[in-house]
Amino acid sequence: MKSSTRQYFQFAHHHILLLTLVYFSGRVLDAHAVPKQRPFNNTIPAILVFGDSTVDPGNNDYINRVFKGNFPPYGRDFANHAATGRFTNGRLPSDYIILYMGIKDYIPPYLNQSLSIEELITGVSFASAGTGYDPLTPTLSKQLEYFQEYRERLEGAIGKEETGDLIKRSIFLLSAGTNDFALNYFTEQLRRLSFSASNYEKFVLQHFKGFIQGLLSQGATKIAVVGLPPMGCLPVIITSNTIPLTGRQCVERINSVARDYNTLLQSEMRHLQSTQLNKETKIYYADIYGPLQDMIQNHQRYGFEVVSRACCGTGLVEASFMCNAKTPVCPDASKYIFWDAIHPTDRAYYLIFQAFRPLIDFIIKDSTS
């Protein structure tokens, strides 16, 4: 189980996003209504996304990675039932956010070389499934290189000054960290040989800090950072940590590490914020743990019927190439929190987006003040 579980995690990392922004306790049950666009957003021109599979709209389709989601049944409920490379049955939270902000319908993958200048100007995702902060995973440093290339392309098209202004006014969204803990620490246990859990948290945070400083050096002034989700509730984690026939429950010792890390992450973000000389720079914490945990604990309130298994296959371990056109899939994914053994369904992602809407509104308002 360990070797196969590692495979499912490498591109995953989870789960969950994403996405963005602080958990306000308001809960919205209408999970498939298209979010209304916000006419008041006349200040933020683009969203630039970094991270793992929770915000990867298909970049892995264009690089030499085993872990892809560009085949059925992925995308079953996306526009035209297209398997775009998103590791879910429909949209990602970042797609819902950019639609809500009135910028465009979806965030495309940067590595799609057919993107127009208009698509580049209004926002792209550099995220890649399997990415983490730890150098044992595909690291975020490569995404920073892609961003520098992106900046050069824009400078050639619209000029250096216009590009600098665009970057200054854009939102940078970062969703990563699950692969570091779920894969390197708890599944493969590679880092457990030399780190206690608390020391590994600090190790990951050092790499996080370096990445944020890289974004700031490139002109970013609005950065939303997603914390860790309740990793112990991922179906694949439950499977690898549960004795058969004893019942499937979230793994609390793994969830407790996620909570501890999120506390340290917020402290580090406050420190980074306090040291910025540019007072326009804002770093926002995005709590994904609270909304997802609430969905799991109170699933009937949200209309979910299945919590600890996924829609695809047995729901225990399948993800990426193990969730394919020949794999049985549940008839109604909206009854499930998880689409595959790592990633949430479109409906769960939409509810996460709904929980984040107040912070999205706050960032937009904060940008006008």
Side-chain angles (χ1 to χ4, degrees):
M1 175 59 69
K2 287 185 179 179
S3 62
S4 61
T5 302
R6 163 190 169 80
Q7 292 178 318
Y8 312 129
F9 265 113
Q10 275 189 321
F11 66 119
H13 47 348
H14 184 198
H15 146 163
I16 301 176
L17 268 270
L18 12 7
L19 251 264
T20 42
L21 323 61
V22 182
Y23 178 44
F24 291 79
S25 61
R27 302 178 178 96
V28 179
L29 300 183
D30 180 9
H32 273 126
V34 174
K36 293 182 179 179
Q37 296 184 355
R38 306 301 296 175
F40 63 84
N41 173 32
N42 57 7
T43 59
I44 297 174
I47 301 177
L48 300 169
V49 185
F50 302 80
D52 54 30
S53 60
T54 59
V55 286
D56 178 2
N59 281 307
N60 272 24
D61 299 354
Y62 303 95
I63 58 179
N64 186 23
R65 294 266 177 89
V66 172
F67 305 101
K68 304 178 188 295
N70 58 347
F71 43 79
Y74 289 101
R76 185 180 73 177
D77 301 305
F78 195 75
N80 299 319
H81 310 291
T84 60
R86 290 168 171 82
F87 289 87
T88 185
N89 59 306
R91 281 182 167 99
L92 299 173
S94 46
D95 295 317
Y96 282 118
I97 291 172
I98 204 164
L99 175 61
Y100 174 71
M101 293 178 65
I103 298 174
K104 56 185 175 183
D105 291 345
Y106 309 101
I107 296 185
Y110 171 68
L111 295 182
N112 180 351
Q113 295 300 306
S114 68
L115 295 181
S116 66
I117 289 298
E118 177 62 26
E119 282 280 27
L120 293 175
I121 288 173
T122 51
V124 293
S125 175
F126 303 92
S128 173
T131 296
Y133 297 110
D134 189 332
L136 287 180
T137 67
T139 62
L140 285 158
S141 59
K142 186 63 178 178
Q143 294 180 33
L144 192 57
E145 290 178 20
Y146 287 140
F147 173 66
Q148 292 166 341
E149 176 185 276
Y150 163 86
R151 180 170 187 151
E152 291 171 1
R153 290 175 66 183
L154 288 191
E155 288 176 353
I158 64 175
K160 191 170 184 177
E161 184 175 346
E162 291 267 350
T163 299
D165 181 67
L166 175 74
I167 289 171
K168 176 183 177 181
R169 295 190 294 119
S170 297
I171 291 177
F172 287 67
L173 174 63
L174 171 60
S175 177
T178 302
N179 282 327
D180 299 313
F181 291 91
L183 174 62
N184 293 331
Y185 199 81
F186 288 111
T187 300
E188 282 296 297
Q189 303 185 17
L190 297 174
R191 290 302 192 186
R192 294 180 72 175
L193 298 176
S194 51
F195 291 97
S196 65
S198 61
N199 285 337
Y200 187 63
E201 291 165 11
K202 296 171 185 175
F203 172 78
V204 171
L205 282 170
Q206 284 299 311
H207 289 280
F208 158 77
K209 180 179 178 180
F211 181 75
I212 293 296
Q213 290 172 333
L215 290 180
L216 293 171
S217 71
Q218 289 293 316
T221 63
K222 288 178 281 293
I223 305 175
V225 181
V226 181
L228 290 180
M231 302 178 295
C233 297
L234 302 184
V236 71
I237 287 290
I238 295 175
T239 299
S240 62
N241 287 272
T242 299
I243 299 173
L245 305 179
T246 61
R248 293 178 60 80
Q249 302 292 330
C250 294
V251 183
E252 174 55 25
R253 65 183 175 85
I254 295 180
N255 279 350
S256 67
V257 169
R259 293 193 299 271
D260 290 344
Y261 172 84
N262 287 341
T263 299
L264 292 175
L265 174 63
Q266 292 173 75
S267 177
E268 181 61 43
M269 289 172 62
R270 286 192 293 270
H271 174 71
L272 284 168
Q273 179 72 70
S274 69
T275 59
Q276 298 308 305
L277 297 178
N278 182 356
K279 298 308 178 183
E280 293 184 351
T281 299
K282 302 292 179 61
I283 306 174
Y284 305 91
Y285 175 67
D287 175 22
I288 185 64
Y289 191 103
L292 189 61
Q293 183 75 345
D294 191 65
M295 273 186 261
I296 292 168
Q297 293 179 340
N298 302 293
H299 59 276
Q300 292 179 333
R301 181 186 302 166
Y302 293 93
F304 291 115
E305 297 178 0
V306 184
V307 173
S308 64
R309 292 184 294 106
C311 174
C312 189
T314 64
L316 306 181
V317 296
E318 292 90 344
S320 188
F321 58 84
M322 293 295 290
C323 177
N324 55 60
K326 296 183 179 180
T327 308
V329 183
C330 70
D332 186 359
S334 71
K335 302 299 183 183
Y336 288 70
I337 291 180
F338 293 97
W339 168 250
D340 63 22
I342 299 168
H343 307 95
T345 57
D346 170 270
R347 183 164 184 265
Y349 274 148
Y350 179 81
L351 288 170
I352 290 169
F353 151 74
Q354 288 282 29
F356 296 154
R357 263 180 32 180
L359 183 57
I360 301 168
D361 292 347
F362 177 78
I363 294 174
I364 294 172
K365 184 178 179 180
D366 201 27
S367 299
T368 63
S369 61

